[in-house]
Amino acid sequence: MVRTLSDSEVHQKAQIPSLAQAAFLLDFDGTLVDIAPSPEAVVVPEGLADTLRHLRAACGDALAVISGRPIDQIDHFLGDIPFAVAGEHGIAVRHRPGGPIERAALPTVPFHWLEEARALVASWPGTRLEHKQAGFVLHYRAAPEAGNAIREAAESWMRDADGAFHLQAAKMAWEIRPTGIDKGYAVSLLMETVPFAGRKPVFVGDDVTDEDGIKTAVRLGGIGLRIPADFPTPAAFRTWLASLVAGIGTEG
């Protein structure tokens, strides 16, 4: 059965600029796809690829995915569908398909933080350490009772960080990230270049890590939308996206 839009989703559709004027900058996990028990277990729903291809065509290529994941993981799931991709919360940005990946200048994570993080994960079965280029994430989705211990350890590292890093809450995770590099930074970079420049940014996300992107989109004259505040679920957001491009011809 085809899902119809709710009144609030119709309202959000009315808020956005015309597709000829809009640039879409979209989070991946929890926004385009449903949250999964592990990052590698996510599934790209049937129909999403076609929706995104039609959206990109309608927006003159101004479609980007801005994710906490590395760029190669977004490529694995979506291929060359988005024109631009920003990974690792803005640390890595690729402005066009096949283009070079630009990386922000980053501080070095103290080795003893990683040693302590490995020991912490070993002491709490079900937790997981995810390495990133300039930081790391401690996941506790499979061990929610470990959340407080992980937060306390991460806060102790931040007291020694001298402002170079900050602690970011995520869904059932705590992430240590370099200060000043976030999804808002990625939005700013992308909106300075073709095909995004001169358009009104529409940023959509679901997590606290997306708030910087939302704030920057609004500051640049666009809008920010949230799951579940504006759309109850990623499925509802996908339905809304499909409604935006309804009637646009299928590409060959």
Side-chain angles (χ1 to χ4, degrees), residues 95-185:
H95 288 269
R96 63 186 184 279
I101 295 176
E102 300 176 6
R103 305 196 68 88
L106 302 169
T108 300
V109 176
F111 181 69
H112 73 89
W113 291 5
L114 289 170
E115 286 187 315
E116 293 172 15
R118 292 188 189 101
L120 185 62
V121 166
S123 70
W124 288 95
T127 61
R128 184 169 62 88
L129 173 64
E130 178 189 359
H131 290 271
K132 294 198 173 183
Q133 183 70 21
F136 56 94
V137 189
L138 290 163
H139 297 270
Y140 59 94
R141 182 177 298 276
E145 67 278 8
N148 286 337
I150 289 174
R151 175 182 53 79
E152 289 171 2
E155 286 175 346
S156 72
W157 301 327
M158 293 305 97
R159 287 193 286 270
D160 298 328
D162 294 326
F165 293 87
H166 73 280
L167 181 62
Q168 175 70 66
K171 290 188 174 178
M172 303 300 285
W174 289 98
E175 181 168 0
I176 284 75
R177 293 168 47 192
T179 300
I181 309 296
D182 53 37
K183 291 189 178 184
Y185 172 80

Side-chain angles (χ1 to χ4, degrees), residues 10-238:
V10 170
H11 175 68
Q12 297 306 332
K13 183 177 179 180
Q15 271 192 303
I16 70 161
S18 70
L19 296 183
Q21 296 177 320
F24 282 83
L25 306 111
L26 309 177
D27 173 49
F28 184 68
D29 293 277
T31 300
L32 287 174
V33 299
D34 298 298
I35 293 290
S38 63
E40 61 274 10
V42 303
V43 174
V44 177
E46 183 179 356
L48 177 60
D50 283 342
T51 294
L52 293 177
R53 288 191 186 98
H54 295 159
L55 182 63
R56 174 174 159 179
C59 295
D61 284 337
L63 171 65
V65 169
I66 300 182
S67 174
R69 290 177 181 263
I71 288 176
D72 62 349
Q73 291 186 18
I74 299 301
D75 289 345
H76 169 74
F77 289 109
L78 294 180
D80 62 357
I81 293 173
F83 185 85
V85 180
E88 302 169 60
H89 302 288
I91 289 172
V93 178
R94 189 177 65 213
H95 288 269
R96 63 186 184 279
I101 295 176
E102 300 176 6
R103 305 196 68 88
L106 302 169
T108 300
V109 176
F111 181 69
H112 73 89
W113 291 5
L114 289 170
E115 286 187 315
E116 293 172 15
R118 292 188 189 101
L120 185 62
V121 166
S123 70
W124 288 95
T127 61
R128 184 169 62 88
L129 173 64
E130 178 189 359
H131 290 271
K132 294 198 173 183
Q133 183 70 21
F136 56 94
V137 189
L138 290 163
H139 297 270
Y140 59 94
R141 182 177 298 276
E145 67 278 8
N148 286 337
I150 289 174
R151 175 182 53 79
E152 289 171 2
E155 286 175 346
S156 72
W157 301 327
M158 293 305 97
R159 287 193 286 270
D160 298 328
D162 294 326
F165 293 87
H166 73 280
L167 181 62
Q168 175 70 66
K171 290 188 174 178
M172 303 300 285
W174 289 98
E175 181 168 0
I176 284 75
R177 293 168 47 192
T179 300
I181 309 296
D182 53 37
K183 291 189 178 184
Y185 172 80
V187 170
S188 295
L189 287 182
L190 290 173
M191 293 304 299
E192 291 176 353
T193 60
V194 175
F196 300 90
R199 291 174 173 266
K200 295 183 182 298
V202 178
F203 189 100
V204 187
D206 74 306
D207 202 352
V208 291
T209 58
D210 296 308
E211 290 301 317
D212 296 306
I214 288 172
K215 291 175 184 175
T216 301
V218 171
R219 178 175 58 81
L220 294 176
I223 65 170
L225 302 172
R226 300 170 176 86
I227 297 169
D230 296 299
F231 307 98
T233 63
F237 174 59
R238 293 191 294 268

